Each structure stands twice: as structure tokens, then as C-alpha cells.
Amino acid sequence: MSSTKYHSTFIGRLSSIVLLAISAISFGDSTSGQDAAAVSLQNGTWEHVQAIVRKNQGKVVVVDIWSTSCLPCMKEFPKLVALQKQSPSEIVCISFNVDYIGIKSKPVDTYRAPVEKFLKKNSATFTNILSTTESDEIFASLDLASIPAVYVYGRDGKLAKRFDDSLFSDGEEEAFTYEDDINPFVNALLKASANE
């Protein structure tokens, strides 16, 4: 083999290795190939979310409203994934992404790649919806000032509690977390329904 041919082959193989390394880094080490393949993202509206809630009566449903531009949302998101894994036969988790802001030059599918990348990185194998309604319209229709926001529905399909950054019952403003607020509430719902 000539040195030029050898050099080309070596560079080609080296390029392949570099591309594989970059691909692994960009998706994070926490994603196995199988989990990434099981992650899906569908376009939809808040009405679609409500239809899924109705379809899952008999289970506790947790709906997380989030965006890739919301750092607190992304920080808490892995805990939504963990919650689904905790009791998959009794809990249904749904993520509702509101990245779409209604700019004509940036249609809904413009946001798909970064949202999917984040979902795959976190192995979010539950129902993931990319809102086709612009975020301001979602916030107005839900009377929601900001995200993150999490809606928890009881086994009867009715909203049991809404977690957001509005004033809590004690009158002090504070952020909620899955660990301190949502998980204990969901576990209490599960325990109460088990005792009925």
C-alpha cells in the first residue's frame, strides 16, 4: 500500500472515531441506544394532553409543562423520568413542551431537534408532546404566569393539584421541586387510593 493511500485510510478511520466520540458526548452518557430509540415526540395541543388524562383514569397522571429555554424546568426534568420509573403501573407521566412561540419564520418543527435531543439524553420514554399552540396562548388559557408547572391528576381524572411558582398557601413565594413537593403529593394520592 502506498503511503498516500495509507494516509487517506488512516485519516478516514480517525474521522469516523472522532464523529462517534462527538455523537456520544452530545447525547450524554446516560442514554442507552435502546432508551433513545424508545423516546418519541409528537405534535399536539393541551386538548391532546387532556384526552390522555381521560384515557388513563384509574392512574395518577403527572403533566410537566416545560421548555428548553427554562433552566429550572430542565433541572427538574430527570426527576419526572424517575417518578415514571417508580410506579409505571400506577403513574403516567406526560411532558408538554412549550418551546414554540408563534414566530412565522420559526414553525413548530423548528424546535423538534433540540427538544428530542434533550428527551433522549434523559431517556424520557413516556408521552412527550411538542405544543403546536404558541406558548403565550397556552399560558393565557391556563392562567399560568410562568413555567415550570406541573399538573397532577388523581385516579378519578380530575386535577388534584397544580404546582407552579405562584404563591403557595402560606403566602410566601417559593419554587417547587419533585423531591420536596410533587413526589410526596403523588405518593399520598397513591396511598389514599390504596386504602379506599
Side-chain angles (χ1 to χ4, degrees):
M1 181 184 283
S2 73
S3 65
T4 307
K5 220 176 202 183
Y6 176 79
H7 183 69
S8 296
T9 303
F10 176 76
I11 295 297
R13 287 184 181 157
L14 184 61
S15 297
S16 295
I17 292 167
V18 169
L19 286 173
L20 283 171
I22 289 170
S23 175
I25 291 167
S26 65
F27 281 104
D29 293 334
S30 64
T31 305
S32 74
Q34 189 175 17
D35 285 346
V39 172
S40 66
L41 177 63
Q42 58 186 289
N43 288 357
T45 64
W46 186 250
E47 288 73 30
H48 290 115
V49 172
Q50 295 304 299
I52 296 167
V53 171
R54 287 190 296 275
K55 184 179 170 188
N56 284 285
Q57 281 192 9
K59 297 183 178 184
V60 173
V61 180
V62 179
V63 181
D64 192 308
I65 304 173
W66 68 284
S67 168
T68 59
S69 62
C70 168
L71 292 177
C73 297
M74 295 193 300
K75 181 182 174 192
E76 285 295 308
F77 196 92
K79 294 175 184 150
L80 174 70
V81 175
L83 181 62
Q84 177 67 66
K85 289 178 181 176
Q86 170 192 313
S87 252
S89 61
E90 297 182 285
I91 300 170
V92 173
C93 291
I94 303 167
S95 86
F96 187 66
N97 177 276
V98 292
D99 274 14
Y100 175 57
I101 58 174
I103 297 173
K104 249 185 183 178
S105 62
K106 292 188 83 176
V108 173
D109 283 333
T110 306
Y111 301 92
R112 178 169 291 280
V115 172
E116 281 181 335
K117 181 178 177 181
F118 179 79
L119 293 171
K120 286 177 180 179
K121 180 180 176 185
N122 286 283
S123 301
T125 57
F126 40 73
T127 301
N128 299 293
I129 299 174
L130 175 60
S131 177
T132 56
T133 308
E134 61 184 83
S135 55
D136 284 348
E137 193 175 319
I138 293 288
F139 297 154
S141 68
L142 297 177
D143 193 25
L144 186 61
S146 67
I147 52 175
V150 176
Y151 287 57
V152 179
Y153 296 83
R155 291 185 190 269
D156 59 2
K158 294 180 182 171
L159 181 63
K161 188 163 178 87
R162 172 176 132 167
F163 294 88
D164 59 32
D165 286 339
S166 62
L167 294 179
F168 279 42
S169 57
D170 62 4
E172 290 185 25
E173 193 172 323
E174 57 183 81
F176 66 87
T177 66
Y178 274 89
E179 188 176 15
D180 294 336
D181 304 294
I182 297 166
N183 291 355
F185 184 77
V186 168
N187 291 329
L189 281 178
L190 293 173
K191 189 175 179 183
S193 59
N195 293 333
E196 289 176 356

